[in-house]
Amino acid sequence: MDNNKFYLATAIAYTSGKPHIGNMYETILADAITRYKRLQGFDVFFQTGTDEHGQKIEENAKAQNMEPKEFVDKHAKKIQDLYHLFNIQYDNFVRTTDDYHVEQVQKIFQKLYDQGDIYKGKYEGWYCVPDESFWTESQLVDGNCPDCGRPVEKTKEETYFFRLSKYQKQLEELLENNPDLIVPKSRKNEMMNNFIKPGIFDLSVTRSSFDWGIQVPFDKDHVVYVWIDALSNYITGLGYDVDGNHKPEFKKWWPADLILIGKDIVRFHTIYWPILLMALGLEQMHQVFGHPWLLVGEGKMSKSMGNAIYPDDLVNYFGVDPVRYAVLKEMPYANDGVITYELLIEQINNNLANVYGNLVNRTISMVNKYFDGSVSKPSEYTEIDKDLIETYNQTYNNYTSKFDQYKVAEAMSNIVDFLRRANKYIDETQPWILAKEKADQKRLNDVLYNLLESVRLASVMLLPIIPDSAAAYLQSIGALSQDFNSIKDFGKQQSYTVVSETEILFARIDKEKKLEEIEADQNPVISEKDLVKFEDFTKLDITVGKVLECKVHPDADRLLVSQVDVGTGVIQIVSGITDIVTPEDLIGQNVITVINLEPIKLRGVLSEGMLLVAKDKKTMMLLNSQMPQGSKVE
């Protein structure tokens, strides 16, 4: 085993729509971890990608009058563009529509079938389309999907099963002999108690009710169901070949050191995936980290709830590095984190502007003012200096210990505490007083050197978190060494020459003003609302309508074009609700509509009515009804 290599793979993003910041968190965390490993000198391979098959994608594409491949090409590019925006340095972006992946999945399926691990049968039970998950009656919660809470469909179809039950004992032994295979520990306990000990059921691994998927090589009526397809990307992306003709990348990087996933898909990665590796005769990955969710307030972030916060919007409001910082800082290791605009502003102001940015700017200003921009390493240290240095030594040890355990938020807290200590050091040493006495010039040099060294050490530790900003500050202080070895001890750099004037990277944000700006951007006021006379209100024809068809506007991603049966006929309605509902979710819903508005063209498409929603400052939801189409709201 190569102890200096590190292969990390994330779960692959589903190409059904635009990712929100909760989806994006995983990729930011993966980027921070792999940057940290590179900083330590590891040879790193970071793989991410997109999951591009399935019923939901087929339906979405149809709703938008697109071919599935055209649809996934569009969304895969959007996801890659978003990753580039956030400075995600992945080494490979795998797509499940890649020719090599498709070929190998078919060969994997054939191998499993030939050795008796896959057999044909019939499945009857409950299916969640958005999550692409099968459930038994006992697993449902109030009749809905236990993962996402949405309605499930009763399904009965011919299918091929993966004989998971055959490997139950081997899986139990694997988890028993590798206590750190699943982290946090609570995730392992959940898997053992809820899914493994009660008995592992054989898994349906094909579908015959839709076409968009990898075709089973010996049965054209079936496509390979998501998990054999999607999970195999961790090896096909490296060049795994069923026949043993592996590419050099697979031989070098497998087994994975870390597979980073959300807690909602731990079951698939710690039961199905290890068993699939057993069936293929491959070595197991070293660890699976099921990270928690990033919540908005008390609820999971969701388009359908209307509370999704989108990454590109956050960048427009705050910038890339501040968003990276705040998202990583607000997410605990095991428990769900919370993100709001208010918390983002607090993190930026309290830690980046007041602590980090303030220290850098004050220090550079004093070095320029008192020594024309250059200071040298002290020949000796006072007790106050030694206390600062000892604080750093503890910081370094805690930082590496926490980051090695992927407790990134805790590692960041150690950096901030050290930066606060450095700011306190300024107040303790009072450089402005030292500057008044000629006899104190050497001491003044030593104090300012210690501050610059503190900035360098903290900035190197922050490179995995806020790479561009930390690198800019390192350049501004004239840091000559930025590798991990250079921060193991305080005082590695012999002298510093700083820039004449530093750029303010983290300006303090006026909280109320920024929140007002965001509110105005998201909820623009078109005009003042006057009181409506009763007779004017009665002119509105508010009717229950059933959505028959729905697709995204051809020239506006935020608009949906729906065909709605209102009882007296079908009308077309254009509405700006893509943030809260997808076309496939809207089809079949009974919605509340206004049907006697004067027709208007929105981006060139005629709209003959309005869908009604309820909203407050944080949430927007579509109004619907259990009444049949044509029912009047009075």
Side-chain angles (χ1 to χ4, degrees), residues 84-222:
H84 294 156
L85 174 66
F86 271 83
N87 209 359
I88 306 298
Q89 288 189 334
Y90 56 79
D91 297 290
N92 186 41
F93 190 94
V94 63
R95 299 179 58 186
T96 57
T97 54
D98 290 340
D99 290 343
Y100 187 83
H101 175 82
V102 171
E103 176 191 354
Q104 291 303 319
V105 167
Q106 289 181 318
K107 290 168 76 172
I108 288 171
F109 198 95
Q110 185 73 60
K111 175 181 174 64
L112 297 178
Y113 181 77
D114 290 345
Q115 66 190 35
D117 284 321
I118 284 179
Y119 63 92
K120 197 171 189 178
K122 287 189 176 180
Y123 175 82
E124 183 173 1
W126 297 99
Y127 181 67
C128 177
V129 174
D131 284 352
E132 296 197 288
S133 300
F134 291 103
W135 301 101
T136 63
E137 185 78 38
S138 63
Q139 291 173 320
L140 300 181
V141 177
D142 297 328
N144 294 320
C145 173
D147 274 353
C148 71
R150 284 175 281 198
V152 291
E153 299 176 354
K154 189 77 171 180
T155 183
K156 180 179 181 180
E157 60 182 85
E158 183 182 75
T159 187
Y160 287 88
F161 287 91
F162 183 19
R163 209 181 298 272
L164 298 181
S165 55
K166 169 184 171 182
Y167 293 89
Q168 169 135 3
K169 185 177 180 181
Q170 284 179 251
L171 181 64
E172 290 179 355
E173 291 174 351
L174 173 70
L175 298 180
E176 180 69 26
N177 297 330
N178 296 273
D180 295 325
L181 181 66
I182 307 172
V183 292
K185 186 178 180 180
S186 58
R187 310 277 189 259
K188 177 183 177 180
N189 294 337
E190 179 188 357
M191 292 304 108
M192 290 296 296
N193 295 331
N194 296 349
F195 297 103
I196 299 174
K197 287 182 179 178
I200 301 174
F201 295 100
D202 291 349
L203 175 69
S204 171
V205 290
T206 67
R207 300 296 305 278
S208 57
S209 56
F210 61 88
D211 299 324
W212 180 242
I214 298 174
Q215 192 175 90
V216 171
F218 51 82
D219 191 336
K220 62 181 178 59
D221 293 329
H222 287 256

Side-chain angles (χ1 to χ4, degrees), residues 354-355 358-359 362-363 366 370 382 384-385 387-388 417-434 443-444 447-448 450-451 454:
N354 291 356
V355 177
N358 186 48
L359 176 64
R362 290 175 74 190
T363 302
M366 289 188 290
Y370 302 135
T382 67
I384 293 177
D385 300 343
D387 184 75
L388 175 68
D417 288 345
F418 174 64
L419 289 168
R420 292 186 194 280
R421 179 66 187 87
N423 274 302
K424 182 182 177 184
Y425 178 79
I426 295 178
D427 297 331
E428 292 171 334
T429 56
Q430 298 182 312
W432 53 90
I433 301 298
L434 295 174
R443 177 60 186 152
L444 178 60
V447 166
L448 295 179
N450 291 337
L451 289 170
S454 297

